[in-house]
Amino acid sequence: MAKPPLRVGLIGTGFMGKAHIFGYTTAARVFDLPRNIVLDTVADITDEAARAAATRYGFEKATSDWRTIVEDPNIDVVNITAPNALHKEMSMAAIAAGKHVYCEKPLAPLAIDASEMTEAAEAAGVKTQVGFNYICNPVFGLAREMIRSGELGEIRAYRGYHAEDYMTDETAPFTFRHDPQGGGAFADLGSHTLATAEYLLGPITRVMGDTVNVIGERPDGKGGIRKVEVDDVGRAFLRFQSGATGSVEASWIATGQKMSHDFEVYGSRGGLTFSGERLNELRFYPVSAIPGRDGFRTILAGPNHPPYGEFCVAPGHQLGFNDLKAIEVAGYVGAIAGLHDEPFNFRAGWRIQSLVETVHRSSQQERWLDT
Amino acid sequence: MAKPPLRVGLIGTGFMGKAHIFGYTTAARVFDLPRNIVLDTVADITDEAARAAATRYGFEKATSDWRTIVEDPNIDVVNITAPNALHKEMSMAAIAAGKHVYCEKPLAPLAIDASEMTEAAEAAGVKTQVGFNYICNPVFGLAREMIRSGELGEIRAYRGYHAEDYMTDETAPFTFRHDPQGGGAFADLGSHTLATAEYLLGPITRVMGDTVNVIGERPDGKGGIRKVEVDDVGRAFLRFQSGATGSVEASWIATGQKMSHDFEVYGSRGGLTFSGERLNELRFYPVSAIPGRDGFRTILAGPNHPPYGEFCVAPGHQLGFNDLKAIEVAGYVGAIAGLHDEPFNFRAGWRIQSLVETVHRSSQQERWLDT
Amino acid sequence: MAKPPLRVGLIGTGFMGKAHIFGYTTAARVFDLPRNIVLDTVADITDEAARAAATRYGFEKATSDWRTIVEDPNIDVVNITAPNALHKEMSMAAIAAGKHVYCEKPLAPLAIDASEMTEAAEAAGVKTQVGFNYICNPVFGLAREMIRSGELGEIRAYRGYHAEDYMTDETAPFTFRHDPQGGGAFADLGSHTLATAEYLLGPITRVMGDTVNVIGERPDGKGGIRKVEVDDVGRAFLRFQSGATGSVEASWIATGQKMSHDFEVYGSRGGLTFSGERLNELRFYPVSAIPGRDGFRTILAGPNHPPYGEFCVAPGHQLGFNDLKAIEVAGYVGAIAGLHDEPFNFRAGWRIQSLVETVHRSSQQERWLDT
Amino acid sequence: MAKPPLRVGLIGTGFMGKAHIFGYTTAARVFDLPRNIVLDTVADITDEAARAAATRYGFEKATSDWRTIVEDPNIDVVNITAPNALHKEMSMAAIAAGKHVYCEKPLAPLAIDASEMTEAAEAAGVKTQVGFNYICNPVFGLAREMIRSGELGEIRAYRGYHAEDYMTDETAPFTFRHDPQGGGAFADLGSHTLATAEYLLGPITRVMGDTVNVIGERPDGKGGIRKVEVDDVGRAFLRFQSGATGSVEASWIATGQKMSHDFEVYGSRGGLTFSGERLNELRFYPVSAIPGRDGFRTILAGPNHPPYGEFCVAPGHQLGFNDLKAIEVAGYVGAIAGLHDEPFNFRAGWRIQSLVETVHRSSQQERWLDT
């Protein structure tokens, strides 16, 4: 019996647009999804670009008007990988048309907009998803399982870190990421640290932020100079509902760091550390009783860590970034089919955006704030 | 203008069969291939299994008779991921039918068979490929470029290693991998070390082998015990045509090792080290002139290392094992389309098989042998 | 010509007392010191313990009364490795007697006491030193040189971390380290992170603290339970006079961590990372101009990093913790001989103690404080 | 009661001479040795150099004639850290004078000489020691304990490696290390791999060697060119009496490697790996029964690994190279005092020299040889 199709309309084919396309493609093969994914329509800036993308990536149709996708009665999912500033308008239109909406992070540059989007989606009863790639990593699932099962004992402390260096060069021009409305390192990368922190340890209840602008001006790309106000480094102290405390830090000027999405979890019976530059490894230190034999063990992702086994039957062979996106897609398709809850829906995306803003506000006011 | 289709018939859907299917799928999206890959027919042991695989993996047709694929005039490529013992028969039939043949390694358990297959393929003028996953790794390409360009100076010494532990447990039953005809750790894993060694440094001209059986008997899976004669560990000293010398070692009883496909290259101006468990990292030590600033640098795979950029625009985000298979597929499709030579054709596969046998023979005779 | 003797009286032979003794011993051989170190008198709790220590460690005399050392006109240096609570009384007496004083960290549990000690020492004109082992590491010197010379460009951000796990077990009894007067993880370990931060980047001008008690009670060692109020984890945001910002974190319940005295420095032209568990390695990422060749390089300590070469002429052979103490001793002896300034005198020790208290006060008041 | 003195006469104050001096010094403080070490006399090339060394390193007397030491009735131990070519003459004279002899490796450039030295020493009943630093490492002791106790199950395979790069530069001049009599990388570094292999797994019974000259000529230091015949890279396959097989490799042209004295041990119940550049870490993989929790654990040297605790009570603080030499000294002094057997006596040194020569002979003859 044929699976019902799931027709996808995708808006925007940049870095993350491609990642979503590859995610759909791989998920459809690797997982036995409940729906048959069809790449229906792709929207891009011009007709020509859209047609090229359709040919290149296997969409049936192309358009330069994203509303065509929203209005197409055949399309089930609207996939938004357009510039952040457009996420809201596109999502609201898609929701109004009864579409499921899969939006790349951030859900919107401002939490107030994310809240509207969330409420609209919930009122409409559509399934939503926001792309927070890293939490789909099988070893994140392993870490959460170890935390929740009590294997690490009482969880006491947390450290999160996301460091890259793509803004190190002060002569690199001003971009949308420097926009005072929703831009900055903490919104871009710190949001991942918060998503991971809550994924692993549960709700954050209080924060003390420290977000710092370092590079105060950049070329405007037109021969002039433009003032930059957003943070290049952001930090926060955290309180979790569970009683644990922690910290997160994000930087896009961490010279030499390419993908340090890292975390450390310390419990009374064990500790965990992870580094994003080695995304198939979880370091685990169990408190044990054999003197002289203790040490952090490097667990390599393998079939014992679902859904790794869907990709490969042998441990240590390693998943890549695009595979994580495929896992994210599979989770979303399962949710649309009613198999389980949405793994990371608009409400979750709003939550992160709200946390980011609370950290910023806390930093400006120089005081702790409830989340 | 639509690309011409490339119709694939695939035989066998185990570990490597799935890897090939994922490879075709990902390659078709990630790369702008010259042909439009169509998963035409899948063959499996029974009609039922084949139909299930067709549904699961998106083939148009299913069969329990692999000859159906070979005889189908619409099929362009016969993809053989069936048990090693069948590689020859299937390949010969496919070649006779004028098909391109993409065969998982080993090309055949015995070099004599691989030679027949190679000669048949060359006589027929079909395009062939043998799957040696690891050499498609972008950082292998980087390493080769550094070697060939002279960036490392004169290459003096090489070390290769492939260690896993899937045969550590002596109570695990006898399988086809223990078959005296073509089985053993060196054939299974040492073949990769030889393929990588020649990929990087060019032809090996002489070897001294040391292949060792450690676990002399295993359960036969039917309640009895079966004698095992194949090697569990294999080693070889090497001489390269270039004048460099080296060694390789392979083990499937290296307790704790999951995917140590490692190499080290030492030249007069620099050194390289690589470990398969961190497949996105190449360590590079250039001889330089700044006292106190030297050190192995960890190069993370990124867009500067083609074709990484096709998968992801950001460095450090990491490719996975299946991505390497997609690169392999893309190379083969390009060769079929006449864009470049076959990256690793039957002749190359025969070469490796022949080297493996020479190592074994050298070990038995306890003397150096020309290759 | 014989060097003048430098007669040392040492009080306390526990963990750090032994480290000092080994430091004196090794320094005297490894370095061509300007004074001839003589282990003159050792003081311990009882006459018997003191005599045993004298025999064991080669002191000429023994005493159970530390005042004997202070009052001995032949003794030049009073070395205090007694419990923290006694540092002040001993130091003040030694200073009053005109002795040079070398006191293990913390200089005193409270900054107010450290200030008195500092002022007394400066008024008396004696040479002082506080033991902050890690900054004597040759690769710390290398890091500072790279920062000061501009090799890393403008320094933008700093991260410090000191994590161990010796208090993870909540059934371990209350000790002096849990004393509300000067105890806690941040005083014990965070003090190191601050010392390193100022050593590398210069003065810290503002802090926002977050020090947290996790384990609220412990066995009192007499069959009862005792309330614990000190922090088990401490964090701070930092502002440096240079304009850089940063953070530090310390924990003694970081399950699995044994000696993570780590730092990261990010400048516009390069980045550095260091981990205390690999104390002979500095990772350095210079921004360079060769696409595809960048990466953190692991610099192994060697003769190019003074004073490593005094210990060993070959790089990569590694110094140990006790060697760092020998370097500390050598620096102190050089200062006494007038060859250079005191590397880390009482004023520096007071400074760190003061910073620690400011972090605590900031945490209690939940606001940023000037240092 | 005072310990009896152990008067040391030391010949040669180069790299290893200093390491021995530091070893005596540190051992005397760190360990409660049964004898009181006295640095009695130092011999160097000229009177002036010897006097300078005596002053610098604390010897009571100095001489430019090493025979003065041998003939001095007060001296107990003759410590030979002179050029290798002199080891035999000096040792034989010392033995003849009834001295204990502690000789840096190699015992002699040729095994035939080492055998004479051994027989003379045994006939004289003096205690001897040869310096093979690395096997004194506490984690080597741990590894051996794990192997011998059966914790790793049946030991199946071994890999040893010693790679440095101090001969990479082909313009570096000819030295005694290039002397055809006893020179070469395998004698210098491969000897360590063999010593470690036998230390861990017991006797090697058969070898197949492959020693290779790469740099065929070097400046002679006088403006001319000199032919070089010794090996720059050496390898061997091994058979152990226990039934295990293995390999070792040594190189002094391994560009970028500074101290890779590495080993891997694979048993039926566990695996070990070690790298000399991280001499305080042993990686241990026990076969266990918890799916998804396995991984190599990094054991950091600590007080549970004797004699680490003599140096430091806290784990992870790290020993250095000179500390290993102190452990070696302590073992020798204990043997002289009759507390235990000589840890690594002349017979053991001869054994290694003999193995080295067998590897060379095997390489020349291109066949396996019994040891």
Side-chain angles (χ1 to χ4, degrees):
Chain A
M1 194 187 65
K3 295 171 185 176
L6 185 75
R7 296 198 157 262
V8 176
L10 183 140
I11 310 172
T13 61
F15 179 4
M16 292 314 300
K18 283 171 63 175
H20 280 243
I21 293 167
F22 300 160
Y24 283 113
T25 303
T26 301
R29 284 284 185 266
V30 166
F31 296 96
D32 193 5
L33 297 179
R35 299 283 290 270
N36 182 29
I37 291 173
V38 180
L39 297 183
D40 185 287
T41 307
V42 61
D44 215 324
I45 310 266
T46 63
D47 280 343
E48 195 172 8
R51 275 195 305 267
T55 303
R56 178 73 180 73
Y57 298 118
F59 286 84
E60 298 178 356
K61 289 171 288 187
T63 178
S64 62
D65 178 6
W66 61 265
R67 293 191 181 272
T68 308
I69 286 174
V70 169
E71 289 161 8
D72 184 337
N74 290 319
I75 285 179
D76 301 297
V77 172
V78 176
N79 187 103
I80 302 172
T81 41
N84 300 346
L86 301 174
H87 287 185
K88 183 184 180 187
E89 183 185 4
M90 290 171 174
S91 293
M92 295 302 278
I95 291 165
K99 308 301 188 196
H100 302 303
V101 187
Y102 181 6
C103 183
E104 187 49 28
K105 70 148 273 251
L107 183 48
L110 301 180
I112 182 73
D113 295 315
S115 79
E116 280 181 52
M117 294 157 75
T118 301
E119 277 156 19
E122 291 179 358
V126 299
K127 301 290 184 181
T128 56
Q129 172 124 324
V130 186
F132 272 88
N133 322 304
Y134 308 115
I135 58 179
C136 297
N137 188 329
V139 302
F140 279 45
L142 171 61
R144 181 153 78 164
E145 178 193 327
M146 293 170 90
I147 291 165
R148 294 195 171 177
S149 70
E151 189 170 344
L152 302 182
E154 174 203 11
I155 303 304
R156 294 164 168 175
Y158 182 82
R159 265 165 70 86
Y161 189 38
H162 195 124
E164 305 198 14
D165 69 355
Y166 54 90
M167 292 294 179
T168 290
D169 182 359
E170 68 273 20
T171 67
F174 192 101
T175 73
F176 75 93
R177 293 189 193 280
H178 301 103
D179 191 317
Q181 294 282 317
F186 201 78
D188 195 21
L189 304 181
S191 53
H192 284 298
T193 68
L194 295 169
T196 298
E198 290 209 328
Y199 173 80
L200 292 173
L201 264 67
I204 294 164
T205 53
R206 250 184 125 216
V207 299
M208 171 72 212
D210 181 29
T211 55
V212 182
N213 171 264
V214 175
I215 300 175
E217 53 184 36
R218 288 184 176 275
D220 64 4
K222 304 163 200 161
I225 291 295
R226 186 158 168 188
K227 189 173 168 60
V228 180
E229 291 172 86
V230 298
D231 59 299
D232 296 296
V233 183
R235 312 170 179 102
F237 302 143
L238 307 178
R239 294 293 177 272
F240 293 90
Q241 201 173 74
S242 69
T245 75
S247 69
V248 290
E249 187 159 339
S251 172
W252 61 21
I253 55 167
T255 313
Q257 303 288 1
K258 303 302 175 191
M259 240 310 290
S260 285
H261 183 73
D262 303 351
F263 65 76
E264 298 175 32
V265 178
Y266 297 109
S268 57
R269 303 298 305 154
L272 298 177
T273 76
F274 172 83
S275 168
E277 290 188 358
R278 288 169 174 172
L279 63 82
N280 290 275
E281 303 180 11
L282 183 68
R283 292 175 73 243
F284 167 44
Y285 182 102
V287 172
S288 81
I290 310 175
R293 297 296 184 275
D294 278 336
F296 269 103
R297 57 184 74 175
T298 301
I299 301 175
L300 299 179
N304 285 313
H305 314 116
Y308 179 101
E310 303 297 319
F311 291 85
C312 183
V313 299
H317 279 55
Q318 300 160 64
L319 303 188
F321 176 79
N322 288 344
D323 294 326
L324 303 191
K325 211 69 193 174
I327 297 172
E328 185 178 289
V329 164
Y332 184 45
V333 175
I336 288 173
L339 301 183
H340 51 71
D341 287 345
E342 298 144 317
F344 207 95
N345 59 18
F346 274 20
R347 183 163 287 273
W350 168 26
R351 166 68 180 172
I352 297 306
Q353 206 57 24
S354 168
L355 284 172
V356 167
E357 292 183 12
T358 307
V359 167
H360 275 303
R361 213 163 47 242
S362 162
S363 176
Q364 285 150 15
Q365 300 179 5
E366 298 200 339
R367 65 191 183 93
W368 284 84
L369 292 178
D370 291 339
T371 67
Chain B
M1 194 186 64
K3 295 171 185 175
L6 185 75
R7 297 198 155 264
V8 175
L10 182 139
I11 311 173
T13 61
F15 178 5
M16 291 315 299
K18 282 172 63 175
H20 280 243
I21 293 167
F22 300 160
Y24 282 114
T25 303
T26 301
R29 285 283 185 265
V30 166
F31 296 95
D32 192 7
L33 297 179
R35 298 283 292 269
N36 181 31
I37 292 173
V38 179
L39 297 183
D40 186 287
T41 307
V42 62
D44 214 325
I45 310 268
T46 63
D47 280 343
E48 194 173 10
R51 275 194 305 267
T55 302
R56 177 73 179 73
Y57 298 118
F59 286 83
E60 297 178 356
K61 291 171 285 186
T63 178
S64 61
D65 178 6
W66 61 267
R67 293 189 181 274
T68 308
I69 286 175
V70 168
E71 291 160 8
D72 184 338
N74 290 318
I75 284 179
D76 302 297
V77 172
V78 176
N79 187 103
I80 302 172
T81 42
N84 300 347
L86 301 174
H87 287 185
K88 183 184 181 185
E89 184 185 4
M90 290 171 173
S91 292
M92 294 302 276
I95 290 165
K99 307 300 188 197
H100 303 303
V101 187
Y102 181 7
C103 183
E104 188 48 30
K105 69 151 274 254
L107 183 49
L110 300 180
I112 182 73
D113 296 314
S115 78
E116 281 182 51
M117 294 157 76
T118 300
E119 278 157 17
E122 290 179 356
V126 299
K127 301 289 183 180
T128 55
Q129 171 125 324
V130 186
F132 272 88
N133 320 304
Y134 307 115
I135 57 178
C136 297
N137 188 329
V139 302
F140 280 45
L142 172 62
R144 182 155 74 165
E145 177 193 327
M146 293 169 90
I147 291 166
R148 293 194 172 178
S149 69
E151 190 170 343
L152 302 181
E154 175 202 11
I155 303 304
R156 294 164 167 175
Y158 182 83
R159 265 165 72 85
Y161 189 38
H162 195 126
E164 305 198 15
D165 70 354
Y166 55 90
M167 292 294 180
T168 291
D169 181 1
E170 67 273 21
T171 68
F174 192 101
T175 74
F176 74 93
R177 294 189 192 279
H178 301 103
D179 191 316
Q181 294 282 318
F186 201 78
D188 195 20
L189 304 181
S191 53
H192 284 296
T193 67
L194 296 170
T196 298
E198 291 209 328
Y199 173 79
L200 291 174
L201 265 67
I204 294 164
T205 54
R206 253 184 122 215
V207 299
M208 170 73 211
D210 181 30
T211 57
V212 182
N213 171 264
V214 175
I215 300 174
E217 54 184 35
R218 289 183 175 275
D220 64 3
K222 306 164 198 160
I225 290 294
R226 186 158 169 188
K227 187 174 170 59
V228 180
E229 292 172 85
V230 299
D231 59 301
D232 296 295
V233 183
R235 311 170 181 101
F237 302 142
L238 308 178
R239 293 292 178 272
F240 293 90
Q241 202 173 71
S242 69
T245 75
S247 68
V248 290
E249 185 158 342
S251 172
W252 61 22
I253 57 167
T255 313
Q257 303 288 0
K258 302 304 174 191
M259 239 311 289
S260 285
H261 183 73
D262 303 351
F263 65 76
E264 299 175 33
V265 179
Y266 296 110
S268 57
R269 304 297 305 154
L272 297 177
T273 77
F274 171 83
S275 169
E277 290 187 358
R278 288 170 175 171
L279 64 83
N280 290 275
E281 302 180 11
L282 182 68
R283 292 175 74 243
F284 167 43
Y285 181 101
V287 172
S288 81
I290 309 176
R293 300 295 184 275
D294 277 337
F296 269 105
R297 56 185 73 175
T298 303
I299 300 174
L300 299 179
N304 285 314
H305 314 115
Y308 178 101
E310 304 297 318
F311 291 85
C312 183
V313 298
H317 279 55
Q318 298 159 65
L319 302 187
F321 176 78
N322 288 345
D323 294 326
L324 303 191
K325 211 68 191 175
I327 297 172
E328 184 177 291
V329 164
Y332 185 45
V333 175
I336 289 174
L339 301 183
H340 50 71
D341 287 345
E342 298 144 317
F344 207 96
N345 59 17
F346 274 20
R347 183 162 287 273
W350 168 26
R351 166 69 180 172
I352 298 304
Q353 206 57 24
S354 169
L355 284 173
V356 167
E357 291 183 13
T358 307
V359 167
H360 275 302
R361 211 162 50 241
S362 161
S363 178
Q364 285 150 15
Q365 299 179 5
E366 298 200 341
R367 63 189 184 96
W368 284 84
L369 292 178
D370 293 337
T371 67
Chain C
M1 193 185 64
K3 295 171 186 176
L6 184 75
R7 296 198 156 263
V8 176
L10 182 139
I11 312 173
T13 61
F15 178 4
M16 291 314 300
K18 283 171 61 175
H20 280 242
I21 293 167
F22 300 160
Y24 283 114
T25 303
T26 301
R29 284 283 185 266
V30 167
F31 296 96
D32 192 6
L33 296 180
R35 299 283 292 268
N36 182 31
I37 292 172
V38 180
L39 297 183
D40 186 287
T41 307
V42 63
D44 214 326
I45 310 268
T46 64
D47 281 344
E48 194 173 10
R51 276 196 304 268
T55 302
R56 177 74 178 73
Y57 298 118
F59 286 83
E60 298 178 356
K61 291 171 286 187
T63 178
S64 62
D65 177 6
W66 60 266
R67 292 188 183 275
T68 308
I69 286 175
V70 168
E71 290 160 8
D72 185 336
N74 289 319
I75 283 180
D76 301 296
V77 172
V78 177
N79 188 102
I80 303 172
T81 42
N84 300 346
L86 300 173
H87 287 185
K88 185 184 180 185
E89 184 184 3
M90 291 171 173
S91 292
M92 295 301 278
I95 290 164
K99 307 300 188 197
H100 302 301
V101 188
Y102 181 6
C103 184
E104 188 49 28
K105 70 149 273 254
L107 183 48
L110 300 181
I112 183 72
D113 295 315
S115 78
E116 280 182 52
M117 295 157 75
T118 300
E119 277 157 18
E122 291 179 356
V126 300
K127 301 288 185 182
T128 55
Q129 172 125 323
V130 186
F132 272 87
N133 321 305
Y134 308 115
I135 58 178
C136 297
N137 188 329
V139 302
F140 279 45
L142 172 61
R144 181 154 76 164
E145 177 193 327
M146 293 170 90
I147 291 166
R148 293 195 172 179
S149 70
E151 190 170 343
L152 302 181
E154 174 203 12
I155 304 304
R156 293 164 168 176
Y158 182 81
R159 265 164 72 85
Y161 189 39
H162 195 125
E164 304 197 15
D165 70 355
Y166 55 90
M167 293 294 179
T168 291
D169 182 359
E170 66 274 20
T171 67
F174 192 100
T175 74
F176 75 92
R177 293 190 193 279
H178 301 103
D179 191 318
Q181 294 282 317
F186 200 78
D188 196 21
L189 304 181
S191 53
H192 284 296
T193 67
L194 295 169
T196 298
E198 290 210 329
Y199 173 79
L200 292 173
L201 265 67
I204 294 165
T205 53
R206 254 184 121 215
V207 299
M208 169 73 213
D210 180 30
T211 56
V212 182
N213 171 264
V214 175
I215 300 174
E217 55 183 36
R218 289 184 174 275
D220 63 5
K222 306 163 198 160
I225 290 295
R226 185 158 169 190
K227 188 172 170 59
V228 180
E229 292 172 84
V230 300
D231 60 299
D232 296 295
V233 183
R235 309 169 182 104
F237 302 142
L238 308 178
R239 294 292 178 272
F240 293 90
Q241 202 172 70
S242 69
T245 75
S247 69
V248 290
E249 186 159 340
S251 171
W252 62 22
I253 57 167
T255 313
Q257 303 289 359
K258 302 303 174 194
M259 239 312 287
S260 285
H261 183 72
D262 304 350
F263 66 76
E264 299 175 32
V265 178
Y266 296 109
S268 57
R269 303 298 306 155
L272 297 177
T273 77
F274 171 83
S275 168
E277 290 187 359
R278 288 169 174 172
L279 64 81
N280 290 275
E281 302 179 12
L282 182 68
R283 292 174 74 243
F284 167 42
Y285 182 101
V287 171
S288 81
I290 309 176
R293 299 296 183 274
D294 279 337
F296 269 104
R297 57 184 73 174
T298 301
I299 300 174
L300 299 179
N304 285 313
H305 314 116
Y308 178 100
E310 303 297 319
F311 292 85
C312 183
V313 300
H317 279 55
Q318 297 158 66
L319 303 188
F321 176 78
N322 288 345
D323 294 325
L324 303 192
K325 210 69 191 174
I327 297 172
E328 186 178 289
V329 164
Y332 185 46
V333 175
I336 289 173
L339 301 183
H340 49 71
D341 288 344
E342 298 144 316
F344 207 96
N345 60 16
F346 274 20
R347 184 162 286 273
W350 168 26
R351 165 69 179 171
I352 297 305
Q353 206 57 25
S354 169
L355 284 173
V356 167
E357 292 183 13
T358 307
V359 167
H360 276 303
R361 212 160 51 240
S362 162
S363 178
Q364 286 150 14
Q365 299 179 5
E366 299 201 340
R367 64 190 181 95
W368 283 84
L369 291 178
D370 291 338
T371 69
Chain D
M1 192 186 66
K3 296 171 184 176
L6 186 74
R7 297 196 156 265
V8 176
L10 183 138
I11 310 173
T13 60
F15 178 6
M16 291 315 299
K18 283 172 62 176
H20 279 244
I21 293 168
F22 300 159
Y24 282 114
T25 302
T26 300
R29 285 285 185 263
V30 166
F31 296 97
D32 192 7
L33 297 179
R35 299 283 290 271
N36 181 30
I37 292 172
V38 180
L39 297 183
D40 186 287
T41 306
V42 62
D44 214 326
I45 309 266
T46 64
D47 280 344
E48 193 172 11
R51 276 196 303 268
T55 303
R56 177 74 179 73
Y57 298 118
F59 286 83
E60 297 178 356
K61 289 170 287 185
T63 178
S64 61
D65 177 7
W66 60 266
R67 292 189 181 274
T68 308
I69 285 175
V70 168
E71 290 160 8
D72 184 338
N74 290 320
I75 284 179
D76 301 296
V77 173
V78 176
N79 188 103
I80 302 171
T81 41
N84 300 346
L86 302 173
H87 288 186
K88 184 183 181 187
E89 183 184 5
M90 291 172 174
S91 293
M92 294 301 278
I95 291 163
K99 308 300 188 195
H100 303 301
V101 187
Y102 181 6
C103 183
E104 188 48 29
K105 68 148 275 250
L107 183 47
L110 300 180
I112 182 73
D113 296 313
S115 78
E116 281 181 53
M117 295 156 74
T118 300
E119 277 156 19
E122 290 178 357
V126 299
K127 301 288 184 182
T128 55
Q129 172 123 324
V130 185
F132 272 87
N133 321 305
Y134 308 115
I135 59 179
C136 297
N137 188 329
V139 303
F140 279 44
L142 172 61
R144 181 154 77 164
E145 177 193 327
M146 294 169 90
I147 291 165
R148 293 194 173 177
S149 69
E151 189 170 343
L152 302 182
E154 174 203 12
I155 304 304
R156 294 164 168 175
Y158 182 81
R159 265 165 72 85
Y161 189 39
H162 194 125
E164 304 198 15
D165 69 356
Y166 55 90
M167 292 293 180
T168 290
D169 181 0
E170 67 273 21
T171 68
F174 192 101
T175 75
F176 74 93
R177 294 190 193 279
H178 301 103
D179 190 317
Q181 294 281 317
F186 201 78
D188 194 22
L189 304 182
S191 53
H192 284 296
T193 67
L194 295 170
T196 298
E198 290 210 329
Y199 173 80
L200 292 173
L201 265 66
I204 294 164
T205 54
R206 252 186 122 213
V207 300
M208 170 72 212
D210 180 30
T211 55
V212 182
N213 170 264
V214 175
I215 300 175
E217 53 183 36
R218 288 185 175 275
D220 63 4
K222 306 164 198 160
I225 290 294
R226 185 158 168 189
K227 188 173 169 60
V228 180
E229 291 172 86
V230 299
D231 59 300
D232 297 294
V233 183
R235 313 170 179 103
F237 302 142
L238 308 177
R239 293 293 178 271
F240 294 90
Q241 202 171 73
S242 69
T245 74
S247 68
V248 289
E249 186 159 340
S251 172
W252 61 22
I253 56 166
T255 313
Q257 303 287 0
K258 303 302 173 190
M259 240 311 288
S260 285
H261 183 73
D262 303 350
F263 66 76
E264 300 175 32
V265 178
Y266 297 109
S268 58
R269 303 298 305 153
L272 296 177
T273 76
F274 171 82
S275 168
E277 290 187 358
R278 288 169 174 172
L279 64 81
N280 290 274
E281 302 180 12
L282 183 68
R283 293 173 74 242
F284 167 42
Y285 181 102
V287 172
S288 81
I290 310 176
R293 298 295 184 274
D294 279 337
F296 269 103
R297 56 184 74 173
T298 302
I299 300 175
L300 299 179
N304 285 313
H305 314 116
Y308 178 101
E310 303 297 320
F311 292 84
C312 183
V313 299
H317 280 55
Q318 299 160 64
L319 303 187
F321 176 77
N322 288 344
D323 294 326
L324 303 191
K325 210 69 192 175
I327 297 171
E328 186 179 289
V329 164
Y332 184 46
V333 175
I336 289 173
L339 301 183
H340 50 72
D341 288 345
E342 299 144 315
F344 206 97
N345 59 18
F346 274 20
R347 184 163 285 274
W350 168 26
R351 165 69 180 170
I352 297 305
Q353 206 57 25
S354 168
L355 284 173
V356 166
E357 293 183 13
T358 308
V359 167
H360 276 303
R361 210 162 50 241
S362 162
S363 177
Q364 285 149 16
Q365 300 178 4
E366 299 201 340
R367 64 190 183 95
W368 284 85
L369 292 177
D370 291 338
T371 67

